[in-house]
Amino acid sequence: MEGDVAIVTFDVAGDVMNTWTEEAFAGFYEVLEILEKDETIKGVIFISGKPDNFFAGANLKMIEEMNEEKEIKKTLDLLHDSFRRLTRLKYPTLAAINGHCLGGGLEFALACTARIARESKTTVIGLPECNVGLFPGGGGTQRLPRLIGYPAIDLILKGRMLPAAKAYEAGIIDRLVPADGDLLEKAKSFLQEIISGKAKLKRPEHDFSQVDAAAEQARQEVLKVTKGRELPAYMLVIKSIQEGLKVPLDEALEIEKKNFVEVALSNEAKGGINTFFIKTMTDKPKSMMTKGFVPKPLKKAAVLGFGTMGRGIAIEILRNMQVPVIIKDIPEALEPGKAFLRKIFDGMAEKKRLKVPVDDLMNLITTTSEYTDEFREVDIVVEAVFENIKVKEQVYGELCEVVRDDCVISSNTSSLPITTMSRYVKNPERFGGTHFFSPVWLMQLVEIVRGEKTSQDTIDNLLNFAALIRKRPLVCRDNPGFVVNALLFPYFLNSIKYIEEGNAIEKVDKAMTRFGMPVGPVRLTDEVGIDVLHKVFVGMGIEQMTIKSVVEAGRFGLKKSGKGFFLKDGSVDPDVIPLIAKSGPKEKTEEEIQTELLTEMVKVGKDLLDRKIVDDPRMIDVGMVWGVGFPPEKGGPMKWSDLTGLSRKLFGKNFY
Ligand code: NAI
């Protein structure tokens, strides 16, 4: 108590962030009882005990583990009941916000009389639940629109997190405190103004008579983004808002609760939460390193090969690390390579995506066709020369003559074993794989490959490298196609088989886009390069007749050779139909195609786990979500297979 004002500090013990854990609930209940009973209190301030976090919201782990309707209902009732009691206190309540105020944290703040926030980098305010396949279930779908009107719909659907000033403009926050201001002092004086009736709080009456039209518009916009897929979180949150805004708040909250139970039980919510967890894990590759590991400083890098991949890798090193980079290729490749980098950097600068001027980045580049003495200064080399074992052998032989013994060397090979290539380097323990995806500056994923002799130090240093160039890594052992391509091979192979069995190309592709893949398998083949796939199949000893005849007809893919499976307008090229090797007709439904293709992927995933190519199903799901665009609300193929019961059906147990 300070005079007649109560100050309540949220501080969930042992955690960096405040979230609604069971202990937090219990503590809050105790406080509520005191607040209700004490007749002397004139107002209360809720503030956080954490330096840069007010309240991060619901505890996702807790929600992920809830599988019973009863259980979810009970937790929701507790939350709603406590917020209701908060709103019924006889005096004003003020949330004093510093740092994240998200989800259930903002819903708490919305149940207070008013909100004051201090500006800072970490002060972001919003209801991001839809981003993880849930929606705000602690009154947010009702209190936010009642406070700020229709703009709340967009904020909730997009899960937008606003800086304090923007939240103030939107009307969510009543007062702003500058970054160097004293939040508690300002909160105290603001509360006194509220108590005395001097504070003018903007609480406009909103007219929700057009809510049906607004909801319909929101639904159409969402369906455009999800390509027609009715994902439970979006559909049910719109429904809650639409129905809730037509009735009094208490009734509206019951509608929200009912829909929230449904969404929290959905597989899409569990999948979305898994994607959130594997994203958080790989957001900071340092957390994947051996505890206590001190990474080797990377002050200078080299890239071998200035082709498609070498260019992309150089771009990422330069723009993220801003260290000198030596790039080696044949003389004719050097100027075109540099011109390409400048073009990409110019584009990034235009979009304000570069921290330093383009010229500064270009000045960090040394191009060469020789192994000069400068290679001695290099701490890491990424090799991206032709995919030919003889070429690689020669390159490593020459390279190892000039680099220091402690230099880390990695190969971007997509199909050659790291263990085989390690024979060509002087220190096989300092050699590993870094398999990037094209275009490197757009694709987040890198597969870090451990050869038989690669040391843990090298893996840790490569994880550090991934962190420095802001890539999302998975760690695996040597394997044809590593992780992502290993799962994609049977996916492609079976898709083509369905076509040969008389299923239209459009149908096969549509089945998978409706599953949530960004493009269908046949279109993906066209984009990756049909010739690339052909080479891979041949390498695996598989004779895929359709792919063979399409490649022999000079069709390597629309982008690559001007001809592939598709025409420019997106329709299937009729000329490709006669090239399909027909086999006995076997019509499949959309669902059969989806389940069978998922099954094929998951079987490979199981094999990778059995053979210890990866140690954790999460690595496979990271690969598929960020390497291929596997639908995030499904949490990755391994998680989705657990959620849908496929894992148990196929293998008698779950992967997670
Ligand atoms: P690319 O053909 O575009 O570029 C290769 C470059 O290496 C050429 O500029 C060539 O002149 C140069 N080169 C050849 N011998 C060299 C030597 N002795 N020293 C220095 N440079 C030399 O090939 P791309 O696509 O960039 O592939 C490079 C590597 O990346 C390959 O191992 C490939 O398997 C792998 N990769 C390719 C992906 C793709 O989407 N293109 C994806 C992931 C990996």
Side-chain angles (χ1 to χ4, degrees):
M1 294 294 300
E2 277 200 25
D4 46 14
V5 167
I7 298 167
V8 178
T9 307
F10 278 123
D11 202 341
V12 177
D15 282 341
V16 197
M17 298 222 177
N18 290 322
T19 58
W20 285 115
T21 58
E22 272 177 39
E23 290 96 320
F25 267 131
F28 185 52
Y29 262 112
E30 264 178 57
V31 170
L32 262 180
E33 275 183 25
I34 300 170
L35 294 177
E36 282 167 341
K37 279 188 198 139
D38 194 325
E39 301 275 328
T40 62
I41 299 177
K42 292 277 182 316
V44 56
I45 293 170
F46 293 98
I47 195 161
S48 164
K50 311 282 184 204
D52 53 10
N53 168 262
F54 175 71
F55 217 108
N59 189 296
L60 287 177
K61 195 91 218 129
M62 202 165 98
I63 300 186
E64 192 196 23
E65 284 163 7
M66 287 184 181
N67 290 313
E68 300 286 332
E69 192 176 321
K70 263 199 326 228
E71 219 182 344
I72 299 174
K73 262 192 180 149
K74 197 175 134 207
T75 311
L76 264 189
D77 282 339
L78 276 177
L79 187 73
H80 278 257
D81 182 48
S82 58
F83 287 178
R84 186 177 312 113
R85 285 167 62 187
L86 182 67
T87 59
R88 294 193 180 156
L89 289 174
K90 293 190 195 85
Y91 43 80
T93 51
L94 177 63
I97 299 162
N98 65 308
H100 314 93
C101 174
L102 300 172
L106 176 57
E107 290 177 305
F108 164 81
L110 288 169
C112 291
T113 314
R115 288 146 295 279
I116 181 167
R118 192 178 65 192
E119 292 189 279
S120 86
K121 253 195 208 152
T122 50
T123 303
V124 282
I125 296 164
L127 297 172
E129 288 89 337
C130 283
N131 296 345
V132 295
L134 290 167
F135 71 73
T141 67
Q142 304 307 319
R143 290 199 175 95
L144 191 62
R146 280 169 171 81
L147 181 67
I148 66 166
Y150 289 124
I153 303 179
D154 189 59
L155 286 182
I156 293 173
L157 284 173
K158 298 210 174 105
R160 287 177 59 198
M161 296 182 263
L162 305 176
K166 290 265 177 229
Y168 174 73
E169 269 170 41
I172 304 172
I173 299 301
D174 298 289
R175 283 278 164 93
L176 267 187
V177 178
D180 56 359
D182 184 329
L183 178 63
L184 185 57
E185 283 312 310
K186 296 282 178 203
K188 284 186 209 161
S189 53
F190 184 31
L191 184 62
Q192 286 305 336
E193 281 180 49
I194 301 174
I195 294 170
S196 65
K198 277 191 210 133
K200 288 205 171 56
L201 300 179
K202 273 194 233 155
R203 297 291 180 266
E205 275 291 314
H206 295 286
D207 167 16
F208 290 120
S209 59
Q210 302 303 310
V211 69
D212 284 338
E216 190 45 36
Q217 192 190 340
R219 210 171 273 123
Q220 291 314 321
E221 278 169 21
V222 162
L223 290 175
K224 228 189 269 163
V225 177
T226 64
K227 299 198 183 123
R229 291 178 317 131
E230 300 194 345
L231 299 180
Y234 296 123
M235 294 302 113
L236 290 168
V237 76
I238 296 173
K239 189 167 174 238
S240 306
I241 297 173
Q242 183 175 8
E243 292 175 5
L245 291 181
K246 293 176 183 168
V247 296
L249 183 63
D250 276 349
E251 233 177 284
L253 292 172
E254 290 305 315
I255 295 174
E256 182 195 89
K257 264 198 232 170
K258 187 176 134 279
N259 289 326
F260 186 83
V261 173
E262 192 177 333
V263 83
L265 286 172
S266 71
N267 284 341
E268 285 81 357
K270 310 274 183 217
I273 292 174
N274 190 59
T275 299
F276 174 80
F277 286 143
I278 58 177
K279 177 176 180 296
T280 311
M281 174 178 76
T282 48
D283 267 344
K284 295 201 170 70
K286 288 194 174 167
S287 69
M288 296 164 72
M289 291 178 201
T290 309
K291 253 208 170 103
F293 177 75
V294 182
K296 171 184 157 65
L298 302 178
K299 291 190 226 128
K300 192 164 195 164
V303 175
L304 307 182
F306 212 4
T308 310
M309 297 305 283
R311 291 172 181 188
I313 295 162
I315 287 170
E316 289 304 74
I317 298 176
L318 286 161
R319 75 159 165 159
N320 293 303
M321 290 173 67
Q322 288 135 41
V323 294
V325 181
I326 311 176
I327 306 170
K328 180 183 178 287
D329 205 313
I330 50 169
E332 305 86 275
L334 302 179
E335 279 316 308
K338 274 179 91 167
F340 183 85
L341 259 58
R342 185 175 279 284
K343 195 178 96 195
I344 297 291
F345 284 146
D346 281 341
M348 289 175 174
E350 221 167 88
K351 290 188 190 134
K352 307 224 177 322
R353 300 237 170 96
L354 284 187
K355 288 185 218 124
V356 283
V358 174
D359 281 341
D360 289 7
L361 293 182
M362 294 304 293
N363 288 338
L364 290 168
I365 304 173
T366 312
T367 49
T368 174
S369 293
E370 307 293 331
Y371 289 104
T372 56
D373 285 346
E374 211 187 329
F375 273 86
R376 229 163 230 293
E377 296 158 21
V378 163
D379 301 303
I380 184 162
V381 178
V382 185
E383 169 275 308
V385 303
F386 292 143
E387 187 75 335
N388 177 310
I389 193 83
K390 287 265 168 285
V391 177
K392 306 256 187 202
E393 178 174 4
Q394 192 195 341
V395 164
Y396 288 126
E398 290 169 0
L399 175 74
C400 289
E401 293 293 312
V402 289
V403 291
R404 290 193 320 267
D405 272 358
D406 67 337
C407 177
V408 173
I409 303 174
S410 77
S411 174
N412 183 49
T413 179
S414 43
S415 61
L416 302 168
I418 295 299
T419 302
T420 309
M421 282 191 286
S422 74
R423 290 186 205 124
Y424 314 138
V425 296
K426 213 156 145 196
N427 293 308
E429 72 279 7
R430 291 218 183 82
F431 175 68
T434 44
H435 181 230
F436 292 92
F437 291 74
S438 179
V440 184
W441 60 95
L442 294 181
M443 297 294 287
Q444 293 184 27
L445 189 73
V446 59
E447 293 177 316
I448 294 185
V449 189
R450 191 195 295 269
E452 270 168 28
K453 296 207 168 136
T454 312
S455 68
Q456 183 57 40
D457 261 27
T458 298
I459 295 296
D460 286 336
N461 276 318
L462 291 176
L463 281 167
N464 176 51
F465 176 53
L468 292 171
I469 59 171
R470 304 183 60 187
K471 291 290 160 215
R472 194 177 293 287
L474 67 81
V475 179
C476 65
R477 291 190 175 76
D478 239 341
N479 180 57
F482 306 123
V483 173
V484 172
N485 287 337
L487 264 77
L488 280 180
F489 297 148
Y491 176 71
F492 286 135
L493 202 56
N494 280 280
S495 308
I496 303 296
K497 189 183 88 185
Y498 300 153
I499 297 165
E500 294 175 345
E501 290 171 351
N503 296 280
I505 291 177
E506 294 91 338
K507 181 170 114 182
V508 175
D509 267 8
K510 192 162 162 226
M512 293 323 283
T513 51
R514 289 197 53 80
F515 180 80
M517 300 297 264
V519 290
V522 188
R523 181 169 298 278
L524 189 57
T525 313
D526 208 293
E527 285 178 11
V528 169
I530 308 168
D531 58 326
V532 174
L533 199 66
H534 177 57
K535 255 196 218 154
V536 171
F537 286 152
V538 171
M540 291 166 85
I542 298 169
E543 186 158 64
Q544 214 308 319
M545 289 315 289
T546 299
I547 294 291
K548 188 168 174 242
S549 2
V550 173
V551 168
E552 279 172 2
R555 296 174 168 268
F556 299 166
L558 185 62
K559 269 192 219 143
K560 239 178 162 170
S561 68
K563 277 183 182 170
F565 283 107
F566 293 92
L567 292 171
K568 269 204 187 106
D569 66 4
S571 63
V572 172
D573 188 340
D575 291 348
V576 87
I577 305 292
L579 301 172
I580 296 173
K582 298 263 174 337
S583 69
K586 224 189 225 168
E587 276 287 325
K588 290 204 185 292
T589 65
E590 185 172 295
E591 213 185 321
E592 281 169 338
I593 294 176
Q594 293 171 342
T595 311
E596 284 181 23
L597 289 182
L598 176 70
T599 303
E600 293 303 326
M601 285 192 230
V602 169
K603 279 187 185 163
V604 177
K606 167 82 165 54
D607 178 55
L608 296 184
L609 283 162
D610 287 349
R611 290 193 291 120
K612 302 245 178 297
I613 300 300
V614 287
D615 297 328
D616 188 327
R618 286 170 186 84
M619 291 290 98
I620 301 172
D621 286 341
V622 165
M624 295 310 278
V625 173
W626 286 281
V628 185
F630 195 89
E633 78 282 356
K634 291 189 162 62
M638 307 313 272
K639 183 69 184 184
W640 192 243
S641 144
D642 282 359
L643 290 168
T644 52
L646 185 65
S647 310
R648 281 181 302 283
K649 193 174 133 205
L650 293 174
F651 313 109
K653 59 174 190 206
N654 281 343
F655 292 110
Y656 275 76

